[in-house]
Structure formats: structure tokens, C-alpha cells
């Protein structure tokens, strides 16, 4: 799966990593719904960190369509309400 982090590039993620990211994504949906700003920001930072650490960075010269687009770490809680709803950005 190809994941783009807005403003930071693309990463290749194996299926096992996607399962882990989906769990974080589901927690983010719950936190956003409950309006828990600090906890939401911590989980979003964790999501992005996991992608960077465990995913394989794709060079800027390689142009691939992204399967998932992850918003930037500075996303506000209000903006998150439009993105992290239902099943979130990763399909269950």
C-alpha cells in the first residue's frame, strides 16, 4: 500500500503495518468524536511516526498514486472532524 503524508512524501507500507495503522486510525476517530484534542494529536503523531519508521520511503522522482493520504501532524481538531469519521482514513 502507498501512503502519502501531506507535506512529507510517500511511503510503501506492508500489510502488517497497515493493520497496525488501522488500529491507531480507529483510536483517532474515537478521540476526535469525543473532542479529546491532546490525545488526538498524540495519536496522529504516533500514526505518522509509525509510517516513517516502519514504512519504506519512496523517492520524490518516483510518482505513484497514493492509496491513503494522511494529514499533516499540525492538523486541528476541527479539521480532523472532516477526515477522521466513520471508519477513518484506513478501511476496516
Amino acid at each position: 500500500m502507498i501512503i502519502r503524508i501531506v507535506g512529507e512524501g510517500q511511503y510503501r507500507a506492508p500489510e502488517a503495518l497497515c493493520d497496525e495503522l488501522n488500529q491507531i486510525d480507529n483510536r483517532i476517530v474515537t478521540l476526535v468524536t469525543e473532542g479529546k484534542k491532546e490525545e488526538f494529536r498524540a495519536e496522529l503523531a504516533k500514526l505518522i511516526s509509525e509510517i516513517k519508521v516502519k514504512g519504506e520511503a519512496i523517492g520524490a522522482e518516483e510518482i505513484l498514486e497514493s492509496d491513503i493520504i494522511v494529514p499533516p501532524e499540525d492538523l486541528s481538531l476541527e479539521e480532523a472532524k472532516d477526515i477522521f469519521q466513520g471508519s477513518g482514513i484506513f478501511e476496516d
Side-chain angles (χ1 to χ4, degrees):
M1 177 172 287
I2 306 299
I3 301 173
R4 173 176 299 283
I5 302 172
V6 174
E8 301 197 37
Q10 288 184 305
Y11 295 81
R12 231 178 231 105
E15 191 65 35
L17 175 58
C18 291
D19 292 342
E20 182 181 336
L21 297 174
N22 186 38
Q23 291 176 13
I24 298 169
D25 177 53
N26 289 339
R27 283 196 300 273
I28 291 172
V29 169
T30 299
L31 293 169
V32 168
T33 302
E34 295 172 354
K36 296 182 176 178
K37 181 180 177 181
E38 297 307 315
E39 293 94 334
F40 145 69
R41 294 186 74 65
E43 286 298 307
L44 180 57
K46 180 178 179 180
L47 179 75
I48 291 170
S49 175
E50 291 294 303
I51 294 166
K52 289 179 174 179
V53 171
K54 296 179 179 176
E56 175 192 342
I58 298 171
E61 68 283 348
E62 192 173 351
I63 300 173
L64 300 171
E65 184 175 343
S66 300
D67 298 303
I68 302 285
I69 298 175
V70 177
E73 203 168 322
D74 64 354
L75 185 74
S76 73
L77 182 61
E78 286 305 310
E79 292 169 320
K81 289 177 182 178
D82 293 331
I83 298 169
F84 292 99
Q85 53 183 303
S87 64
I89 58 176
F90 287 83
E91 295 297 322
D92 287 333

